[in-house]
Amino acid sequence: QVLLVESGGGLVQAGGSLRLSCAASLRTFSSYAMGWFRQAPGKEREFVVAISWNAGSTYSADSVKGRFTISRDNAKNTVYLQMNSLKAEDTAVYYCAAKRVGINYYTWQDYDYWGQGTQVTVSS
């Protein structure tokens, strides 16, 4: 059974920082691209950031460029999302996801496994 478990969410003031972690029980974690998506109440799930299997490439939504950074530690089967300069509009449930193949990192339908999500609330 594949499990992705997110942690690190919480309540933070605007301008603050949070670091999310996602621990994956994937046997071949290093062969998976990983992504973070988010979903705010009443809105569709949207792409945030992604990282290739070897961390050679990263991809970011325009709304978070320069503020959010994705990284991974293949030895720990963990992917991270460092979020700085948080804004009220970043408030959402953040989901970690893994994809085995393909080059489309931006579409949630292309991901194979998902975590349960962690709530991030930014107060203005």
Side-chain angles (χ1 to χ4, degrees):
Q1 183 181 3
V2 175
L3 286 177
L4 303 179
V5 180
E6 302 97 336
S7 61
L11 174 64
V12 64
Q13 289 188 334
S17 297
L18 280 176
R19 189 194 196 203
L20 305 184
S21 299
C22 172
S25 65
L26 294 161
R27 278 205 308 170
T28 55
F29 175 78
S30 60
S31 66
Y32 284 79
M34 301 297 294
W36 288 93
F37 288 74
R38 67 186 181 187
Q39 189 166 17
K43 294 188 177 181
E44 293 186 354
R45 188 169 301 191
E46 65 173 355
F47 170 79
V48 179
V49 292
I51 189 167
S52 61
W53 64 274
N54 63 352
S57 299
T58 61
Y59 309 85
S60 300
D62 289 342
S63 59
V64 306
K65 280 181 180 176
R67 300 189 299 122
F68 290 12
T69 303
I70 187 171
S71 60
R72 66 189 297 161
D73 185 338
N74 286 346
K76 296 183 178 179
N77 280 25
T78 301
V79 63
Y80 305 97
L81 177 59
Q82 178 67 43
M83 304 186 293
N84 299 327
S85 303
L86 282 160
K87 305 175 182 180
E89 50 263 44
D90 294 318
T91 295
V93 177
Y94 282 71
Y95 297 91
C96 168
K99 64 187 273 73
R100 181 64 181 87
V101 296
I103 60 173
N104 183 356
Y105 294 91
Y106 301 95
T107 308
W108 67 265
Q109 293 92 337
D110 288 330
Y111 285 75
D112 303 301
Y113 302 106
W114 290 86
Q116 292 300 307
T118 185
Q119 177 70 46
V120 172
T121 303
V122 184
S123 63
S124 56

